Amino acid sequence: MEFTARQIEIMEAATQRIDKHGIQNLTIKTLAADINLSEPALYRHFAGKNEILLGLLVYFKDEMEERISQLSFEKDEKAGDRLRKIFNSQLVTFEQKPAIVSVIFAESIFHFDNSLSNKVSEIIDSMHKVVHENIKTGQSKNQYSTLIKPGTMTTIITGGMRMAVMKWKLSGNKSSVEKDGMKVLNGILKMIEKK
């Protein structure tokens, strides 16, 4: 999905509004006022609030997948070090754009709209696949313990990282999500990495 510069501006303003005032306070009227645009002008770019939210989710998913695919790994780099790079990239993005966390983690509100909940599921599934492949590769190369199956280990890692991000978000972003998240990841990897 391609976005115009104006659509990106609208989505970024929507993200900021959600971060500051909550998703329930995102309306076309307030958003139009935030960016000094008339409501009819805003409707020329998006059909409504849900289309803006869907655009935000698509935009983040595409950015995330592109960013992760562009990470450079050494040929003989261990699976754990690769996973650290992947999550560090995610955490740095959240640190730089904390408002996006408000949108992604608003999925409980999205369950009334299938297109929004499906897009959140796609984002989760995309990251799940990356982690799952890393665990399978690490186990096949005898770099990770095989006591826990890849699917379960993936859930443990993604769940731990999600909790670290949620704690950071709920604290008002008072700490460093990069440092906190990497502590969690390193703690989990300490349990499964083989020396």
Side-chain angles (χ1 to χ4, degrees):
M1 191 180 230
E2 292 292 319
F3 295 104
T4 66
R6 179 61 101 176
Q7 284 177 312
I8 292 169
E9 177 190 1
I10 292 167
M11 290 188 299
E12 287 177 352
T15 306
Q16 292 301 324
R17 171 155 282 281
I18 292 166
D19 191 50
K20 288 180 186 164
H21 306 289
I23 200 161
Q24 62 279 6
N25 289 310
L26 175 67
T27 65
I28 295 300
K29 183 176 185 158
T30 57
L31 185 56
D34 288 347
I35 55 176
N36 297 317
L37 202 61
S38 71
E39 289 178 58
L42 198 148
Y43 278 115
R44 283 197 290 275
H45 300 283
F46 289 100
K49 178 171 124 172
N50 281 5
E51 192 174 292
I52 293 169
L53 292 170
L54 184 60
L56 274 168
L57 294 169
V58 168
Y59 189 69
F60 176 75
K61 180 179 180 281
D62 292 348
E63 184 279 332
M64 177 187 80
E65 289 174 346
E66 176 70 17
R67 179 173 28 82
I68 289 172
S69 74
Q70 297 297 318
L71 291 174
S72 60
F73 301 115
E74 301 299 321
K75 187 178 175 197
D76 58 348
E77 193 168 14
K78 293 193 178 205
D81 292 330
R82 289 178 181 224
L83 196 59
R84 286 178 182 92
K85 279 185 181 176
I86 291 165
F87 273 107
N88 192 66
S89 170
Q90 282 291 87
L91 295 168
V92 165
T93 298
F94 290 154
E95 191 116 7
Q96 291 170 347
K97 299 177 182 179
I100 196 68
V101 175
S102 300
V103 177
I104 297 167
F105 283 69
E107 81 274 5
S108 62
I109 296 169
F110 297 162
H111 70 275
F112 295 112
D113 184 299
N114 284 340
S115 61
L116 294 174
S117 60
N118 288 342
K119 193 52 67 180
V120 172
S121 291
E122 286 178 27
I123 292 169
I124 292 167
D125 290 346
S126 179
M127 195 61 184
H128 194 273
K129 284 177 189 166
V130 169
V131 176
H132 192 262
E133 278 305 307
N134 177 274
I135 299 299
K136 279 175 44 180
T137 300
Q139 287 182 339
S140 71
K141 292 183 174 181
N142 202 30
Q143 295 172 2
Y144 292 145
S145 166
T146 55
L147 290 173
I148 301 173
K149 292 188 185 294
T152 304
M153 196 69 244
T154 299
T155 301
I156 291 168
I157 291 170
T158 56
M161 297 306 290
R162 184 175 175 78
M163 181 60 74
V165 173
M166 276 298 288
K167 282 178 69 177
W168 171 72
K169 181 68 189 149
L170 292 172
S171 77
N173 311 343
K174 290 188 175 131
S175 60
S176 166
V177 72
E178 180 187 2
K179 288 179 186 168
D180 295 346
M182 292 309 291
K183 279 182 195 171
V184 171
L185 181 62
N186 284 323
I188 295 169
L189 287 175
K190 198 177 279 190
M191 294 186 279
I192 66 165
E193 279 183 303
K194 292 186 172 183
K195 300 293 180 224

